[in-house]
Amino acid sequence: MNKLEAFGYIVAQASRGDITFPTSVNAVLRLQQALDDPDCPLDDAIRLVLAEPQLAARTVALANSAAFSGGGPPVTNVRAAVTRMGYRRLQSLVASLLVRQFGSRINDPGLRAKAEQLWQHTTNVAALAWSLARHVTGTNPDTALFAGIIHEVGGFYLLSRADEFPGLLDDDPEKWGELCEDVVGLEVMKKLAVPEPVLDAIGQLRRAWINMPPSTLLDTLLLANQYAPVASPLGTAPPALPEHGDSAIDFVLDEELLASIRLEAEETCKAMGGPLLV
């Protein structure tokens, strides 16, 4: 099977809803579904978090980061961390755990390296999106954080399948891989019950330009991708700002503000990041 046939096979499967998740992903999905219920009792949420040691550790770490602590005293247990974070932010951490699980069945060293780079890109975009939403675009920061975490879920899914199709994600000058990632990503997000506004924004990422002034979730993700210090190893780089962009963006994002956003995002990224494949 050549590369184009392999892409077609994976896209056809995805279009039928035939998407295979690792067993570990299905377990995290059950946790996500429980947290989707706003009436989920706090004790149940804490018990679910404690059942996933990585999630428990990162919940406490993120609750103690400067971005989320609000200057309060450090928390030392999951109950205090969940109370401080709230369910919406906790859902973003669950999403990050879910994305991590796609790496669990990657065996090829080259693919594992790509998955690790994609994870570093993802955590940087998510952290920047949260800070940019707070300080620049005015969109909901928690939604921006969640969208940043899952915006490359199609790429993670393809990486998790690429062991089956040698050469699938090698250089792709005709960009069939990007088309495949877009279609597969859409279907994966549907299966994960990603809200429509988030799904729409992510779906437009590859072809959209930043509005001036930036004010939407899509603008937030575009800016976060522009300023992410680690590029995605899949597809092409995001489109550069238009020629007038430097002067236009200065009205809402000058060098001083950008520097502070980067510092804030760096700490958030460290709290939620760490190696993908452990």
Side-chain angles (χ1 to χ4, degrees):
M1 184 181 293
N2 63 35
K3 182 188 294 188
L4 188 55
E5 290 172 334
F7 282 142
Y9 176 74
I10 294 171
V11 167
Q13 279 189 315
S15 299
R16 295 193 303 267
D18 184 12
I19 296 172
T20 57
F21 289 163
T23 303
S24 52
V25 168
N26 291 320
V28 179
L29 276 174
R30 289 192 292 272
L31 170 57
Q32 184 188 49
Q33 289 165 357
L35 292 174
D36 279 342
D37 180 1
D39 296 322
C40 177
L42 178 61
D43 286 344
D44 287 356
I46 291 167
R47 186 167 59 252
L48 289 167
V49 172
L50 286 171
E52 297 288 345
Q54 284 188 36
L55 178 63
R58 294 186 192 285
T59 300
V60 173
L62 203 58
N64 284 325
S65 68
F68 295 98
S69 68
V75 299
T76 58
N77 58 76
V78 169
R79 176 177 293 274
V82 170
T83 301
R84 176 178 287 180
M85 293 288 293
Y87 280 9
R88 291 199 65 180
R89 292 172 188 167
L90 185 58
Q91 284 176 314
S92 292
L93 285 179
V94 171
S96 73
L97 180 62
L98 188 152
V99 168
R100 282 170 173 270
Q101 302 306 322
F102 282 111
S104 65
R105 59 181 179 185
I106 298 174
N107 297 312
D108 180 85
L111 294 174
R112 289 172 71 87
K114 285 186 175 182
E116 188 62 55
Q117 183 179 340
L118 190 60
W119 172 245
Q120 295 302 321
H121 169 75
T122 294
T123 53
N124 275 282
V125 168
L128 282 164
W130 191 82
S131 294
L132 286 162
R134 292 181 67 212
H135 301 293
V136 178
T137 63
T139 56
N140 185 292
D142 296 329
T143 301
L145 180 70
F146 175 75
I149 287 169
I150 63 165
H151 83 286
E152 287 281 8
V153 71
F156 282 107
Y157 182 78
L158 284 181
L159 284 165
S160 77
R161 299 290 308 277
D163 275 324
E164 305 169 40
F165 307 99
L168 181 71
L169 296 178
D170 291 346
D171 289 343
D172 179 28
E174 296 183 7
K175 308 304 180 188
W176 287 105
E178 291 182 12
L179 175 62
C180 181
E181 185 183 347
D182 284 348
V183 174
V184 169
L186 176 65
E187 295 303 325
V188 172
M189 286 189 289
K190 286 180 178 177
K191 191 157 186 176
L192 298 179
V194 172
E196 198 75 26
V198 176
L199 192 150
D200 287 345
I202 294 173
Q204 296 177 63
L205 266 177
R206 212 185 296 278
R207 289 162 290 278
W209 291 95
I210 299 168
N211 293 307
M212 291 297 164
S215 58
T216 66
L217 178 60
L218 176 58
D219 293 334
T220 306
L221 291 174
L222 286 167
L223 282 171
N225 270 277
Q226 286 285 346
Y227 294 119
V230 180
S232 167
L234 305 178
T236 55
L241 293 169
E243 290 184 6
H244 68 281
D246 288 341
S247 59
I249 198 72
D250 277 348
F251 287 110
V252 291
L253 186 58
D254 58 30
E255 289 186 10
E256 183 178 353
L257 177 57
L258 178 58
S260 68
I261 285 172
R262 280 174 161 158
L263 283 174
E264 182 178 75
E266 184 179 355
E267 181 172 356
T268 304
C269 188
K270 286 178 181 176
M272 68 184 295
L276 172 70
L277 304 170
V278 292

